[in-house]
Amino acid sequence: MALRLTQRLLQTQTPFLTRGYPMLVTKEKSEDVAHTKSSLQKKVTRTDIPSAQYGGRHAVTMLPGGGIGPELMTYVREIFSYCGAPIDFEVIEIDPSTEGNDDLDYAITSIKRNGVALKGNIETKSQELSEVSRNVAIRNELDLYVNVVHCKSYPGIPARHQDIDVVLIRQNTDGEYAMLEHESVPGIVESMKVVTVENAERVARYAFEYARQNNRKKVTTIHKANIMKLSDGLFLECAKRVHKDYPELEHDNMIIDNTCMQAVSKPHQFDVMNMTNLYGTIVSNVLCGLMGGAGLISGRNYGDHYAVFEPGTRNTGTAIAGKNIANPVAMINASIDMLNHLGHKEHANVIYEATYQTIVNDAIRTPDLGGNHSSTDVVENILKILSAKRVNWPHGNYFNQL
Amino acid sequence: MSMLARTLGRTALQAAAARGVHTSSTLNDVRTGSKLKDGANYGANRTTCTLIPGDGVGPEIVYALQEVFKAANVPVDFESYFLSEINPVLSAKLEDVVASIQKNKVCIKGILATPDYSNVGDLQTLNMKLRNDLDLYANVVHVRSLPGIKTRHTNIDTVIIREQTEGEYSALEHESVPGIVECLKIVTAKKSMRIAKFAFDYATKNQRKKVTAVHKANIMKLGDGLFLRCCEDVSKLYPRIQFEKMIVDNTTMQMVSNPNQFDVMVTPNLYGAIVDNLASGLVGGAGVVAGASYSAETVVFEPGARHTFAGAVGKNVANPTAMMLCGVKLLRHINLPTYSEVIFNAINKVLNDGKVRTKDLGGQSTTMDFTRAVIANLH
């Protein structure tokens, strides 16, 4: 198995050296990258599946995941029913202690049916080699190639830096997360980092397109091409090539170690960042930490057909589960992103304003933000604000009665 | 305070009257002493809903529904259009009605009578035009035994989901040779997939266990065969829901002998119409079964079995239960579950007590009696 993969990778690498970049790995990708594709999932592709919108209501898959996930999901549902968001959740529990991938398969099928999911972080307890990380499996299977985290500071929250406004765009399926590891000789383990032209280009194009549509000025590509000249070199090269189509935007690049230093000392210099998989997770955690922690920022995963929304830093928070101190804001922000994606802008707006008012103006914050309120205090205050701001069916004219 | 309310009400009524014959809105309910204390104070947050009273007893039962809504202080306003095919002179324009439904996204509709011949030589009926214009492809009829109504079978709880934009209702008929008429039945993979997915998504959302596809693929091997194949394909995406298929003639027999075996049924157009009516008959007739037609964007709530009951016009004997249940469904759909529950419980209470019954359920009470009884039980 390992030998076969090595051979294939060697074959596909030859064109890298000739700098030709044909469509390299894409055709065989489904075999190369560890997938959990069952035969039935192969049969029906997304293009055949009609969308799950009925009478103006959307069906959305909800994966509560482990740790604090289930609590946070309860809050989201409470808020949605309070402000009348036209969303019907299909809740799927994935038991982390079970072996096998039945639940996971079912969850992925469900996302394919509904097109959109709201997700906590799913634990993979098993250390078995055959068990892939379930989060990674979902991303690979649904081809969610880009992850977007918008790090925007909330004023008044104790943090190292204020007024940060950076958009992190991360390649989500390739790179170090290809899950191709093997022990070729006893005592020597190799892990493969895969960079493909197709995915590097897609994510770069997404970054530049995002920058253009949101009036951003600059895209910074993060890499380590001085050491990994081929793999990260390819990523950088793709970004440079895509930049030619966006002449009005500035494009520069920065090495990952320097990026981390710059991020903690002068984070304001960044605007939109375009990154490979592992660097993305590092930088997003660094930036979220600078702004007040894992409890605030949401992340969006997009593929060509599906969208999955989750908290920005992917931590389960098992240690604080059930203590009523978890910060619900990140998951609420993820649900706001989801409403925006589905076109329910009014609902999204109302919930956003209520949340913002709660943690900024009313200063009702959980301990991770230096407050001394419980999760339920935060949610109750949001509900209190929302009670005066109900959004009418089907979309709009909400009045603030105060 | 009450003076003020009355004045406001009158102004609203006059404003509505000034808008013309076809559109009128029920006066805004400005009473402050709401019966519903538990919900949030919604105040000026009101939802507008298109209302098509329809033919036959439609206007009477719609009026009953409006009375109940008013009594329960439901924050819903109606935008009423008189649409009719048998009375084309008074009828509002179809485009206006469609525009209104597209704007409001929800509609309550009585039944439109369909004449056997068309006075404009059109093969499509007004009902079909409305459905096609709004792309209301899925008709959902929830057939459920109601308390206090004596029927042959008990505990029926079946949902019939019917494709209603293609199939036999294509309105494509022609006489190719004198004496020989052909009617085209159209089945497309796209629409079959869509209705099958609707059925399975409905089953998922409502924790149902089984979906039965009704077909006649043994005779119409291509047409119904395609429908059946699409259902099979979609069923593979739902490993936790049981899928079975049944031929339509057998389905009707099973339905009258052992209706409890059915959970969710997905049917093409004509079979759906037949099974809908059959099943409605099993639980107490056209007066007690509510239905809804869905497109991606809009919903039209209408009684499940489509009969105008033209013989009872003006006699105050029609059963408004079906229309009230439509109202309950509407409220649930637009996120007003508290109101929905209050009205639903009141209807159940009245039916269960059995003191006030309309003629179709073996009683002697009038439509208004029943409405008043429901209103008296709102709490």
Side-chain angles (χ1 to χ4, degrees), chain B residues 23-263:
Chain B
T23 45
S24 72
S25 90
T26 57
L27 56 154
N28 271 357
D29 207 330
V30 285
R31 269 175 297 172
T32 40
S34 169
K35 277 185 181 170
L36 299 156
K37 294 261 190 281
D38 50 343
N41 179 16
Y42 297 147
N45 287 333
R46 299 179 70 87
T47 305
T48 315
C49 168
T50 307
L51 178 75
I52 305 172
D55 298 310
V57 293
E60 295 170 38
I61 55 175
V62 161
Y63 180 69
L65 174 70
Q66 282 176 301
E67 285 294 303
V68 172
F69 270 27
K70 226 183 281 176
N73 254 342
V74 176
V76 171
D77 296 321
F78 288 110
E79 209 172 270
S80 161
Y81 287 89
F82 182 75
L83 187 70
S84 171
E85 193 170 3
I86 50 171
N87 201 345
V89 183
L90 285 180
S91 172
K93 270 196 254 159
L94 181 65
E95 304 87 79
D96 296 349
V97 180
V98 168
S100 162
I101 299 176
Q102 271 165 351
K103 171 172 68 82
N104 296 327
K105 316 270 187 212
V106 281
C107 171
I108 291 243
K109 170 173 166 292
I111 300 305
L112 302 181
T114 311
D116 288 340
Y117 58 91
S118 164
N119 41 18
V120 281
D122 223 345
L123 286 176
Q124 264 198 332
T125 69
L126 193 58
N127 250 327
M128 278 150 69
K129 282 183 201 155
L130 185 69
R131 276 179 231 154
N132 286 336
D133 283 1
L134 291 167
D135 192 28
L136 297 164
Y137 64 94
N139 180 254
V140 180
V141 177
H142 189 176
V143 180
R144 204 169 44 94
S145 297
L146 288 163
I149 298 179
K150 281 212 179 62
T151 47
R152 205 172 286 272
H153 298 281
T154 50
N155 295 328
I156 300 177
D157 186 5
T158 302
V159 180
I160 300 157
I161 292 169
R162 160 188 175 198
E163 210 302 322
Q164 56 174 5
T165 52
E166 58 171 16
E168 299 83 354
Y169 288 50
S170 58
L172 294 172
E173 292 182 298
H174 56 259
E175 192 168 18
S176 40
V177 181
I180 298 180
V181 173
E182 290 175 346
C183 167
L184 299 185
K185 166 171 170 167
I186 313 281
V187 181
T188 62
K190 198 175 158 213
K191 288 191 169 175
S192 302
M193 282 295 234
R194 189 165 72 157
I195 194 72
K197 176 135 188 294
F198 182 96
F200 278 98
D201 275 348
Y202 185 96
T204 311
K205 184 184 155 196
N206 295 286
Q207 283 97 40
R208 297 285 182 147
K209 296 278 170 295
K210 189 169 79 171
V211 172
T212 310
V214 179
H215 65 99
K216 188 71 185 169
N218 55 340
I219 304 299
M220 281 163 277
K221 292 191 200 304
L222 293 181
D224 281 15
L226 177 63
F227 174 80
L228 195 58
R229 217 169 49 242
C230 290
C231 291
E232 272 169 2
D233 280 355
V234 172
S235 77
K236 290 183 184 127
L237 283 171
Y238 298 80
R240 296 187 185 177
I241 293 172
Q242 199 190 331
F243 173 70
E244 65 170 32
K245 36 201 175 180
M246 197 179 273
I247 293 173
V248 60
D249 23 8
N250 184 24
T251 309
T252 48
M253 181 171 70
Q254 297 290 332
M255 198 85 201
V256 291
S257 59
N258 182 13
N260 303 79
Q261 66 180 296
F262 294 109
D263 197 345

Side-chain angles (χ1 to χ4, degrees), chain A residues 10 15 25 102 116 127 186-187 208 215 281 309 313 326 347 352 363 380:
Chain A
L10 281 175
V25 201
D102 285 354
V116 177
Q127 297 291 322
F208 281 105
N215 291 323
T281 181
F309 300 89
T313 55
H347 294 91
Y352 175 76
E380 265 162 29

Side-chain angles (χ1 to χ4, degrees), chain A residues 64-71 121 123 316-319 321-322:
Chain A
I68 52 172
E71 305 170 28
N121 208 334
E123 280 177 290
T316 35
T318 317

Side-chain angles (χ1 to χ4, degrees), chain A residues 194-251:
Chain A
V194 180
V195 176
T196 63
V197 181
E198 193 202 12
N199 281 336
E201 261 188 15
R202 281 202 291 185
V203 74
R205 195 159 293 282
Y206 187 94
F208 281 105
E209 198 60 41
Y210 184 98
R212 176 181 277 177
Q213 283 176 14
N214 292 280
N215 291 323
R216 297 277 177 161
K217 299 281 171 289
K218 190 173 78 171
V219 176
T220 311
T221 299
I222 311 301
H223 62 94
K224 187 73 183 169
N226 55 341
I227 304 298
M228 281 164 275
K229 291 189 200 302
L230 290 183
S231 58
D232 278 15
L234 176 62
F235 188 80
L236 184 58
E237 187 95 348
C238 285
K240 281 182 178 158
R241 189 134 39 99
V242 172
H243 175 235
K244 294 203 177 97
D245 297 340
Y246 300 84
E248 80 275 19
L249 297 167
E250 204 183 314
H251 178 232

